[in-house]
């Protein structure tokens, strides 16, 4: 898979969400439903959960997916679509970010629980996507219009139905915990191997920050594969990818088919240069908290600037990078993670 500034494949949105948009935008009859009002920006919370109840024993062994799921949202990304539908921006929220979980009623016991501190990924564990959305809204000041959650099974199946994804790295990527072992260069990954790639956090000292950037690079690669693979021109493949991505329920876990269709229609002509990827600025580690453990502290000023940029439809990228300049790079610290256009994360 190649990409250059002279050849910009047109895509709908990004990553796993893009498949739903592409599929439903092409395959469902038009309705008047919409995620937001015309002329209003859209914020979608993408939740990658560790659900693995439908993973086979063989898959668990091959891709190191054993263990007990915490029912957490280990991937959290705010996807912002500009009011004019001419820009998409993605801000990753590290799972270990310290958060104040809003007061809520326990969905199982019915007991009222006061607001309390925790890691941000615990919000989903305590109250499902609704509480995760509310937590992110209070932390970012943004209105979250909808959400999409994807578990291990949905992730692997959607990648497999797409036909795999090409990724690249300029260093060896090896993680004993996930059994990831990629040599420098370009690789074509199927669903299980792709899950290894986006889950690995023991590749180097960058830990979760390196993993987040690999997740964002994977999303760009997924977009390119969906676009260049002719997904919109193959109705049967569209149907299979949709069923895999949405787990067969057809409603996007919070987003209706009509909403996705309308959004897909409005984003048909986006290029990778119209997409920006960032991680919420981090100022450092908090002292360990009993019952919570080690957490990350957001940089208050930097976070405010980032989410204000989304709210005010302002760019996140200060200095555009060249195509492919960040595609295989390693992150050494959160301070080295800079916002980038999508084409800088694509293989060349």
């Amino acid at each position: 898979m190649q990409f250059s500034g002279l050849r910009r494949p047109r895509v709908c949105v990004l990553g796993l969400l893009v498949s739903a948009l592409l599929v439903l935008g092409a395959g469902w009859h038009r309705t008047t439903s919409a995620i937001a009002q015309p002329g209003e920006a859209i914020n979608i919370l993408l939740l990658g959960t560790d659900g693995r109840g439908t993973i086979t024993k063989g898959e668990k062994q091959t891709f190191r997916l054993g263990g007990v799921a915490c029912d957490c949202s280990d991937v959290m990304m705010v996807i912002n679509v500009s009011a004019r539908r001419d820009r998409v921006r993605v801000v990753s929220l590290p799972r270990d970010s310290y958060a104040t979980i809003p007061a809520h009623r326990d969905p199982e016991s019915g007991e009222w629980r006061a607001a309390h501190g925790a890691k941000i990924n615990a919000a989903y564990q305590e109250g499902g996507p609704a509480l995760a959305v509310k937590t992110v809204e209070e932390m970012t000041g943004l209105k979250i219009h909808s959400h999409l959650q994807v578990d291990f099974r949905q992730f692997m199946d959607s990648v497999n139905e797409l036909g795999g994804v090409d990724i690249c790295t300029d260093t060896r990527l090896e993680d004993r915990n996930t059994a990831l072992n990629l040599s420098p260069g370009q690789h074509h990954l199927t669903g299980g191997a792709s899950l290894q790639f986006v889950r690995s956090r023991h590749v180097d000292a960058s830990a979760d920050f390196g993993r987040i950037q690999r997740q964002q690079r994977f999303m760009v690669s997924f977009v390119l594969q969906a676009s260049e693979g002719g997904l919109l021109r193959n109705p049967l493949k569209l149907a299979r990818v949709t069923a895999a991505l949405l787990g067969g329920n057809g409603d996007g876990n919070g987003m209706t088919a009509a909403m996705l269709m309308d959004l897909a229609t409005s984003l048909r002509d986006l290029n990778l240069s119209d997409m920006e990827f960032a991680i919420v600025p981090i100022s450092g580690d908090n002292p360990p908290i009993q019952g919570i453990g080690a957490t990350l502290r957001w940089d208050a000023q930097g976070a405010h600037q980032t989410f204000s940029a989304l709210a005010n439809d302002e760019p996140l990228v200060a200095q555009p990078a060249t195509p492919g300049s960040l595609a295989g790079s390693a992150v050494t610290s959160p301070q080295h993670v800079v916002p980038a256009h999508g084409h800088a994360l694509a293989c060349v």
Side-chain angles (χ1 to χ4, degrees):
M1 183 180 298
Q2 300 291 319
F3 175 80
S4 69
L6 298 177
R7 187 168 68 83
R8 297 176 179 177
R10 292 185 171 184
V11 296
C12 279
V13 116
L14 59 133
L16 293 173
L17 181 58
V18 75
S19 285
L21 298 179
L22 286 167
V23 169
L24 295 172
W28 289 76
H29 295 295
R30 182 166 183 78
T31 70
T32 58
S33 298
I35 298 175
Q37 296 300 316
E40 181 184 5
I42 299 171
N43 296 306
I44 302 165
L45 182 62
L46 178 62
L47 299 167
T49 71
D50 66 344
R52 63 195 76 181
T54 57
I55 301 298
T56 68
K57 182 178 180 180
E59 289 170 329
K60 288 181 178 180
Q61 293 176 342
T62 302
F63 304 117
R64 303 287 178 86
L65 301 176
V68 179
C70 75
D71 195 29
C72 299
S73 53
D74 283 343
V75 177
M76 300 183 75
M77 299 181 179
V78 174
I79 301 172
N80 170 269
V81 181
S82 65
R84 295 195 299 177
R85 310 298 185 255
D86 60 352
R87 183 183 298 123
V88 171
R89 289 163 292 188
V90 180
V91 179
S92 293
L93 312 179
R95 65 173 189 171
D96 290 337
S97 300
Y98 180 82
T100 298
I101 308 298
H104 63 280
R105 193 172 300 281
D106 187 283
E108 294 186 1
S109 67
E111 296 181 0
W112 185 256
R113 188 171 187 185
H116 59 281
K119 293 181 180 180
I120 193 171
N121 68 341
Y124 179 88
Q125 182 184 39
E126 293 184 24
L131 187 58
V133 165
K134 188 175 181 180
T135 301
V136 170
E137 285 183 330
E138 294 195 1
M139 292 184 69
T140 65
L142 298 172
K143 173 179 174 58
I144 301 298
H145 296 84
S146 192
H147 71 274
L148 176 69
Q149 62 186 68
V150 180
D151 64 16
F152 287 179
R153 176 82 278 152
Q154 291 164 272
F155 180 92
M156 292 198 303
D157 287 351
S158 61
V159 173
N160 285 334
E161 292 294 351
L162 187 65
V165 170
D166 291 334
I167 62 92
C168 57
T169 176
D170 54 13
T171 61
R172 176 171 288 279
L173 301 178
E174 187 173 3
D175 187 334
R176 293 182 178 179
N177 288 44
T178 63
L180 177 72
N181 189 357
L182 298 178
S183 60
Q186 187 162 309
H187 302 267
H188 187 76
L189 305 183
T190 56
S194 294
L195 188 57
Q196 289 175 302
F197 180 77
V198 299
R199 290 186 65 228
S200 293
R201 63 187 297 270
H202 300 287
V203 170
D204 51 38
S206 62
D208 267 343
F209 296 99
R211 176 167 68 171
I212 287 173
Q213 192 172 65
R214 284 188 291 276
Q215 291 167 352
Q216 293 180 348
R217 296 205 311 263
F218 181 86
M219 294 174 78
V220 170
S221 296
F222 195 102
V223 167
L224 289 172
Q225 182 68 31
S227 177
E228 296 184 347
L231 190 62
L232 284 174
R233 297 189 298 272
N234 189 330
L236 291 179
K237 189 172 183 178
L238 286 175
R240 291 197 300 268
V241 174
T242 300
L245 179 69
L246 304 182
N249 58 22
D251 64 3
N253 298 307
M255 300 182 70
T256 68
M259 290 175 179
L260 288 168
M261 188 284 301
D262 285 341
L263 186 56
T265 301
S266 66
L267 296 175
R268 262 184 217 286
D269 294 331
L270 284 189
N271 298 311
L272 288 182
S273 58
D274 301 319
M275 299 180 180
E276 296 176 303
F277 293 81
I279 300 177
V280 62
I282 301 295
S283 62
D285 298 318
N286 291 310
I289 303 173
Q290 186 175 4
I292 300 177
T295 58
L296 296 171
R297 181 174 62 255
W298 286 8
D299 179 276
Q301 181 178 357
H304 176 74
Q305 291 174 345
T306 296
F307 298 118
S308 292
L310 299 189
N312 298 323
D313 204 11
E314 298 170 350
L316 296 174
V317 179
Q319 296 181 343
T322 58
S325 60
L326 301 177
S329 60
V331 178
T332 57
S333 75
Q335 285 72 30
H336 293 158
V337 181
V338 296
H341 286 295
H343 65 257
L345 301 176
C347 296
V348 295

